[in-house]
PDB file of all heavy atoms in Angstrom:
ATOM      1  N   GLU A 166    -114.663 335.264 -18.304  1.00 88.00           N
ATOM      2  CA  GLU A 166    -115.119 335.815 -17.024  1.00 88.00           C
ATOM      3  C   GLU A 166    -114.774 337.295 -16.875  1.00 88.00           C
ATOM      4  O   GLU A 166    -114.587 337.772 -15.763  1.00 88.00           O
ATOM      5  CB  GLU A 166    -114.524 335.001 -15.868  1.00 88.00           C
ATOM      6  CG  GLU A 166    -115.008 333.565 -15.824  1.00 88.00           C
ATOM      7  CD  GLU A 166    -116.528 333.455 -15.689  1.00 88.00           C
ATOM      8  OE1 GLU A 166    -117.103 334.172 -14.852  1.00 88.00           O
ATOM      9  OE2 GLU A 166    -117.120 332.669 -16.440  1.00 88.00           O
ATOM     10  N   SER A 186    -111.407 330.017 -18.155  1.00 98.00           N
ATOM     11  CA  SER A 186    -112.453 329.011 -18.015  1.00 98.00           C
ATOM     12  C   SER A 186    -112.604 328.327 -19.357  1.00 98.00           C
ATOM     13  O   SER A 186    -112.496 328.968 -20.399  1.00 98.00           O
ATOM     14  CB  SER A 186    -113.774 329.694 -17.642  1.00 98.00           C
ATOM     15  OG  SER A 186    -114.858 328.816 -17.842  1.00 98.00           O
ATOM     16  N   GLN A 188    -115.311 326.997 -20.267  1.00 98.00           N
ATOM     17  CA  GLN A 188    -116.759 326.898 -20.458  1.00 98.00           C
ATOM     18  C   GLN A 188    -117.229 327.007 -21.912  1.00 98.00           C
ATOM     19  O   GLN A 188    -118.004 326.172 -22.383  1.00 98.00           O
ATOM     20  CB  GLN A 188    -117.459 327.980 -19.634  1.00 98.00           C
ATOM     21  CG  GLN A 188    -118.968 327.970 -19.839  1.00 98.00           C
ATOM     22  CD  GLN A 188    -119.619 329.189 -19.243  1.00 98.00           C
ATOM     23  OE1 GLN A 188    -119.196 329.638 -18.173  1.00 98.00           O
ATOM     24  NE2 GLN A 188    -120.620 329.718 -19.890  1.00 98.00           N
ATOM     25  N   ARG A 209    -106.098 333.544 -13.523  1.00 97.00           N
ATOM     26  CA  ARG A 209    -106.761 334.790 -13.159  1.00 97.00           C
ATOM     27  C   ARG A 209    -105.698 335.744 -12.634  1.00 97.00           C
ATOM     28  O   ARG A 209    -104.990 335.413 -11.680  1.00 97.00           O
ATOM     29  CB  ARG A 209    -107.803 334.564 -12.050  1.00 97.00           C
ATOM     30  CG  ARG A 209    -108.839 333.470 -12.327  1.00 97.00           C
ATOM     31  CD  ARG A 209    -109.974 333.954 -13.204  1.00 97.00           C
ATOM     32  NE  ARG A 209    -110.786 332.837 -13.647  1.00 97.00           N
ATOM     33  CZ  ARG A 209    -112.032 332.602 -13.258  1.00 97.00           C
ATOM     34  NH1 ARG A 209    -112.628 333.427 -12.413  1.00 97.00           N
ATOM     35  NH2 ARG A 209    -112.693 331.561 -13.725  1.00 97.00           N
ATOM     36  N   GLU A 211    -105.324 337.867 -10.449  1.00 90.00           N
ATOM     37  CA  GLU A 211    -105.899 338.375  -9.202  1.00 90.00           C
ATOM     38  C   GLU A 211    -104.835 339.201  -8.500  1.00 90.00           C
ATOM     39  O   GLU A 211    -103.834 338.663  -8.044  1.00 90.00           O
ATOM     40  CB  GLU A 211    -106.308 337.221  -8.275  1.00 90.00           C
ATOM     41  CG  GLU A 211    -107.296 336.246  -8.865  1.00 90.00           C
ATOM     42  CD  GLU A 211    -108.732 336.722  -8.742  1.00 90.00           C
ATOM     43  OE1 GLU A 211    -108.947 337.839  -8.211  1.00 90.00           O
ATOM     44  OE2 GLU A 211    -109.626 335.977  -9.179  1.00 90.00           O
ATOM     45  N   LEU A 219    -105.731 332.102  -6.190  1.00 98.00           N
ATOM     46  CA  LEU A 219    -104.462 331.811  -6.839  1.00 98.00           C
ATOM     47  C   LEU A 219    -104.521 332.465  -8.212  1.00 98.00           C
ATOM     48  O   LEU A 219    -105.612 332.728  -8.726  1.00 98.00           O
ATOM     49  CB  LEU A 219    -104.295 330.297  -7.003  1.00 98.00           C
ATOM     50  CG  LEU A 219    -104.187 329.476  -5.714  1.00 98.00           C
ATOM     51  CD1 LEU A 219    -104.431 328.007  -5.994  1.00 98.00           C
ATOM     52  CD2 LEU A 219    -102.815 329.684  -5.081  1.00 98.00           C
ATOM     53  N   TYR A 222    -104.970 328.079 -11.091  1.00 98.00           N
ATOM     54  CA  TYR A 222    -105.624 327.049 -10.278  1.00 98.00           C
ATOM     55  C   TYR A 222    -106.184 325.963 -11.181  1.00 98.00           C
ATOM     56  O   TYR A 222    -106.268 326.148 -12.402  1.00 98.00           O
ATOM     57  CB  TYR A 222    -106.719 327.663  -9.392  1.00 98.00           C
ATOM     58  CG  TYR A 222    -107.947 328.138 -10.123  1.00 98.00           C
ATOM     59  CD1 TYR A 222    -109.089 327.328 -10.222  1.00 98.00           C
ATOM     60  CD2 TYR A 222    -107.986 329.396 -10.718  1.00 98.00           C
ATOM     61  CE1 TYR A 222    -110.233 327.768 -10.896  1.00 98.00           C
ATOM     62  CE2 TYR A 222    -109.118 329.837 -11.385  1.00 98.00           C
ATOM     63  CZ  TYR A 222    -110.235 329.017 -11.474  1.00 98.00           C
ATOM     64  OH  TYR A 222    -111.351 329.449 -12.145  1.00 98.00           O
ATOM     65  N   HIS A 224    -109.165 323.722 -12.525  1.00 98.00           N
ATOM     66  CA  HIS A 224    -110.577 324.004 -12.726  1.00 98.00           C
ATOM     67  C   HIS A 224    -111.241 322.753 -13.284  1.00 98.00           C
ATOM     68  O   HIS A 224    -110.812 322.240 -14.318  1.00 98.00           O
ATOM     69  CB  HIS A 224    -110.667 325.150 -13.752  1.00 98.00           C
ATOM     70  CG  HIS A 224    -111.890 325.996 -13.647  1.00 98.00           C
ATOM     71  ND1 HIS A 224    -112.033 327.167 -14.362  1.00 98.00           N
ATOM     72  CD2 HIS A 224    -113.027 325.856 -12.932  1.00 98.00           C
ATOM     73  CE1 HIS A 224    -113.213 327.710 -14.084  1.00 98.00           C
ATOM     74  NE2 HIS A 224    -113.832 326.931 -13.222  1.00 98.00           N
ATOM     75  N   GLU A 226    -114.558 321.558 -14.899  1.00 99.00           N
ATOM     76  CA  GLU A 226    -115.754 322.176 -15.470  1.00 99.00           C
ATOM     77  C   GLU A 226    -116.618 321.142 -16.171  1.00 99.00           C
ATOM     78  O   GLU A 226    -116.119 320.253 -16.858  1.00 99.00           O
ATOM     79  CB  GLU A 226    -115.354 323.298 -16.427  1.00 99.00           C
ATOM     80  CG  GLU A 226    -114.693 324.456 -15.669  1.00 99.00           C
ATOM     81  CD  GLU A 226    -114.206 325.551 -16.600  1.00 99.00           C
ATOM     82  OE1 GLU A 226    -113.070 325.434 -17.089  1.00 99.00           O
ATOM     83  OE2 GLU A 226    -114.963 326.491 -16.852  1.00 99.00           O
ATOM     84  N   TYR A 331    -123.262 335.363 -20.273  1.00 98.00           N
ATOM     85  CA  TYR A 331    -123.746 334.131 -20.927  1.00 98.00           C
ATOM     86  C   TYR A 331    -124.839 333.415 -20.129  1.00 98.00           C
ATOM     87  O   TYR A 331    -125.339 332.385 -20.541  1.00 98.00           O
ATOM     88  CB  TYR A 331    -122.564 333.173 -21.167  1.00 98.00           C
ATOM     89  CG  TYR A 331    -121.742 332.912 -19.919  1.00 98.00           C
ATOM     90  CD1 TYR A 331    -122.264 332.190 -18.853  1.00 98.00           C
ATOM     91  CD2 TYR A 331    -120.456 333.430 -19.793  1.00 98.00           C
ATOM     92  CE1 TYR A 331    -121.531 331.964 -17.701  1.00 98.00           C
ATOM     93  CE2 TYR A 331    -119.711 333.209 -18.636  1.00 98.00           C
ATOM     94  CZ  TYR A 331    -120.259 332.477 -17.595  1.00 98.00           C
ATOM     95  OH  TYR A 331    -119.541 332.277 -16.449  1.00 98.00           O
ATOM     96  N   GLU A 355    -117.296 330.152  -1.466  1.00 98.00           N
ATOM     97  CA  GLU A 355    -117.517 329.666  -2.837  1.00 98.00           C
ATOM     98  C   GLU A 355    -116.528 328.589  -3.279  1.00 98.00           C
ATOM     99  O   GLU A 355    -115.318 328.784  -3.245  1.00 98.00           O
ATOM    100  CB  GLU A 355    -117.431 330.844  -3.818  1.00 98.00           C
ATOM    101  CG  GLU A 355    -117.687 330.405  -5.259  1.00 98.00           C
ATOM    102  CD  GLU A 355    -117.506 331.521  -6.294  1.00 98.00           C
ATOM    103  OE1 GLU A 355    -117.512 332.713  -5.913  1.00 98.00           O
ATOM    104  OE2 GLU A 355    -117.358 331.185  -7.486  1.00 98.00           O
ATOM    105  N   VAL A 356    -117.089 327.478  -3.747  1.00 98.00           N
ATOM    106  CA  VAL A 356    -116.268 326.423  -4.347  1.00 98.00           C
ATOM    107  C   VAL A 356    -116.687 326.141  -5.798  1.00 98.00           C
ATOM    108  O   VAL A 356    -115.920 325.568  -6.567  1.00 98.00           O
ATOM    109  CB  VAL A 356    -116.293 325.113  -3.525  1.00 98.00           C
ATOM    110  CG1 VAL A 356    -115.530 325.287  -2.218  1.00 98.00           C
ATOM    111  CG2 VAL A 356    -117.716 324.633  -3.235  1.00 98.00           C
ATOM    112  N   ILE A 357    -117.935 326.526  -6.148  1.00 98.00           N
ATOM    113  CA  ILE A 357    -118.420 326.305  -7.512  1.00 98.00           C
ATOM    114  C   ILE A 357    -119.191 327.532  -7.975  1.00 98.00           C
ATOM    115  O   ILE A 357    -119.908 328.155  -7.185  1.00 98.00           O
ATOM    116  CB  ILE A 357    -119.382 325.081  -7.575  1.00 98.00           C
ATOM    117  CG1 ILE A 357    -118.625 323.770  -7.328  1.00 98.00           C
ATOM    118  CG2 ILE A 357    -120.116 325.011  -8.923  1.00 98.00           C
ATOM    119  CD1 ILE A 357    -119.498 322.524  -7.434  1.00 98.00           C
ATOM    120  N   GLY A 358    -119.044 327.863  -9.263  1.00 98.00           N
ATOM    121  CA  GLY A 358    -119.913 328.847  -9.897  1.00 98.00           C
ATOM    122  C   GLY A 358    -120.546 328.197 -11.114  1.00 98.00           C
ATOM    123  O   GLY A 358    -119.841 327.566 -11.903  1.00 98.00           O
ATOM    124  N   ARG A 362    -127.370 328.313 -19.337  1.00 98.00           N
ATOM    125  CA  ARG A 362    -126.815 329.253 -20.310  1.00 98.00           C
ATOM    126  C   ARG A 362    -127.926 329.878 -21.146  1.00 98.00           C
ATOM    127  O   ARG A 362    -128.904 329.204 -21.489  1.00 98.00           O
ATOM    128  CB  ARG A 362    -125.825 328.542 -21.243  1.00 98.00           C
ATOM    129  CG  ARG A 362    -124.852 327.576 -20.570  1.00 98.00           C
ATOM    130  CD  ARG A 362    -124.064 328.205 -19.420  1.00 98.00           C
ATOM    131  NE  ARG A 362    -122.987 327.296 -18.972  1.00 98.00           N
ATOM    132  CZ  ARG A 362    -122.261 327.503 -17.885  1.00 98.00           C
ATOM    133  NH1 ARG A 362    -122.493 328.539 -17.097  1.00 98.00           N
ATOM    134  NH2 ARG A 362    -121.291 326.661 -17.551  1.00 98.00           N
ATOM    135  N   PHE A 400    -121.006 324.239 -14.980  1.00 99.00           N
ATOM    136  CA  PHE A 400    -120.401 324.900 -13.821  1.00 99.00           C
ATOM    137  C   PHE A 400    -118.904 324.664 -13.779  1.00 99.00           C
ATOM    138  O   PHE A 400    -118.374 323.805 -14.497  1.00 99.00           O
ATOM    139  CB  PHE A 400    -121.052 324.427 -12.515  1.00 99.00           C
ATOM    140  CG  PHE A 400    -120.903 322.956 -12.224  1.00 99.00           C
ATOM    141  CD1 PHE A 400    -119.830 322.481 -11.498  1.00 99.00           C
ATOM    142  CD2 PHE A 400    -121.862 322.047 -12.664  1.00 99.00           C
ATOM    143  CE1 PHE A 400    -119.699 321.133 -11.209  1.00 99.00           C
ATOM    144  CE2 PHE A 400    -121.742 320.691 -12.379  1.00 99.00           C
ATOM    145  CZ  PHE A 400    -120.656 320.222 -11.654  1.00 99.00           C
ATOM    146  N   GLY A 401    -118.242 325.435 -12.944  1.00 98.00           N
ATOM    147  CA  GLY A 401    -116.809 325.291 -12.736  1.00 98.00           C
ATOM    148  C   GLY A 401    -116.523 325.128 -11.248  1.00 98.00           C
ATOM    149  O   GLY A 401    -117.025 325.900 -10.431  1.00 98.00           O
ATOM    150  N   GLY A 403    -113.619 324.918  -8.369  1.00 98.00           N
ATOM    151  CA  GLY A 403    -112.222 325.244  -8.067  1.00 98.00           C
ATOM    152  C   GLY A 403    -111.623 324.112  -7.240  1.00 98.00           C
ATOM    153  O   GLY A 403    -111.995 323.925  -6.088  1.00 98.00           O
TER     154      GLY A 403
HETATM  155  O1  4AD B   1    -117.040 331.464 -10.570  1.00 52.25           O
HETATM  156  P1  4AD B   1    -116.072 331.338 -11.697  1.00 52.25           P
HETATM  157  O2  4AD B   1    -115.335 332.543 -12.127  1.00 52.25           O
HETATM  158  O3  4AD B   1    -116.900 330.689 -12.891  1.00 52.25           O
HETATM  159  C1  4AD B   1    -116.414 330.410 -14.124  1.00 52.25           C
HETATM  160  O4  4AD B   1    -115.269 330.540 -14.491  1.00 52.25           O
HETATM  161  C2  4AD B   1    -117.404 329.709 -15.021  1.00 52.25           C
HETATM  162  N1  4AD B   1    -117.105 330.068 -16.426  1.00 52.25           N
HETATM  163  C3  4AD B   1    -117.274 328.238 -14.800  1.00 52.25           C
HETATM  164  C4  4AD B   1    -118.217 327.417 -15.645  1.00 52.25           C
HETATM  165  O5  4AD B   1    -119.408 327.611 -15.559  1.00 52.25           O
HETATM  166  N2  4AD B   1    -117.700 326.507 -16.417  1.00 52.25           N
HETATM  167  O6  4AD B   1    -114.993 330.230 -11.327  1.00 52.25           O
HETATM  168  C5  4AD B   1    -115.404 328.930 -11.003  1.00 52.25           C
HETATM  169  C6  4AD B   1    -114.734 328.460  -9.726  1.00 52.25           C
HETATM  170  C7  4AD B   1    -115.054 329.296  -8.502  1.00 52.25           C
HETATM  171  O7  4AD B   1    -116.259 328.906  -7.906  1.00 52.25           O
HETATM  172  C8  4AD B   1    -113.871 329.005  -7.608  1.00 52.25           C
HETATM  173  O8  4AD B   1    -114.078 327.777  -6.922  1.00 52.25           O
HETATM  174  C9  4AD B   1    -112.752 328.822  -8.588  1.00 52.25           C
HETATM  175  O9  4AD B   1    -113.325 328.549  -9.851  1.00 52.25           O
HETATM  176  N3  4AD B   1    -111.918 330.025  -8.695  1.00 52.25           N
HETATM  177  C10 4AD B   1    -110.691 330.148  -8.158  1.00 52.25           C
HETATM  178  N4  4AD B   1    -109.938 329.313  -7.422  1.00 52.25           N
HETATM  179  C11 4AD B   1    -108.725 329.735  -7.025  1.00 52.25           C
HETATM  180  N5  4AD B   1    -108.208 330.950  -7.327  1.00 52.25           N
HETATM  181  C12 4AD B   1    -108.924 331.833  -8.072  1.00 52.25           C
HETATM  182  N6  4AD B   1    -108.405 333.016  -8.375  1.00 52.25           N
HETATM  183  C13 4AD B   1    -110.225 331.441  -8.517  1.00 52.25           C
HETATM  184  N7  4AD B   1    -111.183 332.050  -9.254  1.00 52.25           N
HETATM  185  C14 4AD B   1    -112.198 331.164  -9.347  1.00 52.25           C
END
Side-chain angles (χ1 to χ4, degrees):
E166 295 301 314
S186 165
Q188 177 191 322
R209 307 278 169 111
E211 302 277 1
L219 295 164
Y222 71 97
H224 207 171
E226 293 176 273
Y331 52 68
E355 181 185 342
V356 289
I357 291 182
R362 317 306 190 189
F400 62 90

